[in-house]
Amino acid sequence: MKHHIFISLIIFFGIFPVHSQLAPAGLSQLPGTAKDIDIGADGSIWRVGTDSSIARFEEGGWTKIDGTASRIAVDHFGFPWVVKSTGEILRRNGRKWIELPGTAVDIDINDRGDIWMVGRDGWISVWGGTEWAPVGDTDAKRIAVDTDGEPKVINSKGALSIWGGPFRYPGTAKAIAAGADGSLWAIGAGLSVSKWTDDSYWKEEIKGTFAEITIDSSGYPILIDTKGSIFRASPDKLEPPAV
């Protein structure tokens, strides 16, 4: 899910004492491991660890807070919204969690603060401030909301489409992320990372075996591989996004 203003990070080129590995070409490794990650419009970076813990990236490391989760999205105030493994949805309000109605399998928030989720029953809903407003019955499993508030969804067969319209993207995907710069990225069936081009095709940008993706404000991905290691695209190694 995932796509917001990105703060300056310490770029880690060394070998870490735990879960270290050689970073794929064009990427640098961040510390720790994760199973989901997102960036808020304020630049804050949050992740769900492989142990389901919730943490924020601060001063070159991860600072844990209370609670556990399966999926995470960060709003434009920098607060995390999470989905637990049992489907419950919670959002952070200062130092405490507030439980929201409904259950979900995925959630995403764009840079404007539009909040969408995929329910465990396959319904797509948008947050109205006090409750979820269902907008359609689909077979959605994953969702990413672009800067215009338009949701992209992946169904149970991996097909990727713009919700509410006839257009379907070619191929299949495991995960998607929409950037505040208008870019759209996907982890394909082969687990490499591709970007949707202005010429309407997927261009493979990063080879590897990846599981999750989020996008910084410049249009560069932060990735989690299938082992849980965290990487970010290095602007000096990857081609910059089209303007």
Side-chain angles (χ1 to χ4, degrees):
M1 331 226 73
K2 302 17 185 180
H3 46 277
H4 304 296
I5 297 176
F6 190 63
I7 60 174
S8 297
L9 294 176
I10 299 172
I11 299 178
F12 295 87
F13 291 102
I15 301 299
F16 296 99
V18 181
H19 303 293
S20 61
Q21 65 184 68
L22 182 65
L27 304 179
S28 53
Q29 189 172 358
L30 301 183
T33 58
K35 60 182 177 182
D36 198 21
I37 194 166
D38 197 27
I39 307 172
D42 69 331
S44 60
I45 305 168
W46 292 79
R47 62 103 165 123
V48 175
T50 51
D51 60 356
S52 299
S53 63
I54 302 166
R56 179 174 177 164
F57 193 80
E58 297 177 318
E59 299 180 354
W62 297 101
T63 300
K64 291 184 179 181
I65 64 171
D66 60 294
T68 60
S70 176
R71 306 285 301 154
I72 194 165
V74 185
D75 66 24
H76 53 310
F77 298 114
F79 290 116
W81 296 51
V82 301
V83 176
K84 297 178 72 68
S85 60
T86 48
E88 289 95 336
I89 309 165
L90 298 94
R91 67 177 177 88
R92 192 75 171 180
N93 182 11
R95 295 182 177 273
K96 64 180 181 180
W97 291 105
I98 297 175
E99 187 170 354
L100 303 178
T103 57
V105 295
D106 198 20
I107 189 169
D108 194 37
I109 306 173
N110 69 6
D111 58 300
R112 300 190 317 178
D114 299 318
I115 305 162
W116 290 70
M117 70 90 158
V118 177
R120 301 184 90 189
D121 56 2
W123 278 79
I124 296 174
S125 299
V126 61
W127 182 247
T130 58
E131 59 184 7
W132 297 103
V135 297
D137 186 8
T138 74
D139 187 28
K141 297 299 182 183
R142 298 295 301 270
I143 192 166
V145 186
D146 67 19
T147 192
D148 295 322
E150 183 177 68
K152 275 74 171 175
V153 298
I154 300 175
N155 69 15
S156 61
K157 296 179 180 179
L160 173 59
S161 64
I162 299 174
W163 183 84
F167 180 76
R168 287 186 177 272
Y169 293 90
T172 58
K174 299 288 188 180
I176 47 174
D181 67 331
S183 61
L184 181 66
W185 295 71
I187 297 174
L191 305 185
S192 62
V193 179
S194 297
K195 181 182 179 183
W196 186 248
T197 71
D198 291 337
D199 295 322
S200 299
Y201 70 92
W202 292 109
K203 178 185 177 184
E204 184 180 87
E205 295 282 1
I206 306 170
K207 295 183 181 295
T209 53
F210 298 101
E212 296 297 339
I213 183 171
T214 188
I215 308 298
D216 70 27
S217 63
S218 299
Y220 294 102
I222 298 176
L223 300 158
I224 301 171
D225 71 7
T226 53
K227 296 180 179 179
S229 298
I230 309 166
F231 302 94
R232 66 159 299 206
S234 302
D236 60 333
K237 295 181 180 180
L238 287 182
E239 202 173 278
V243 177

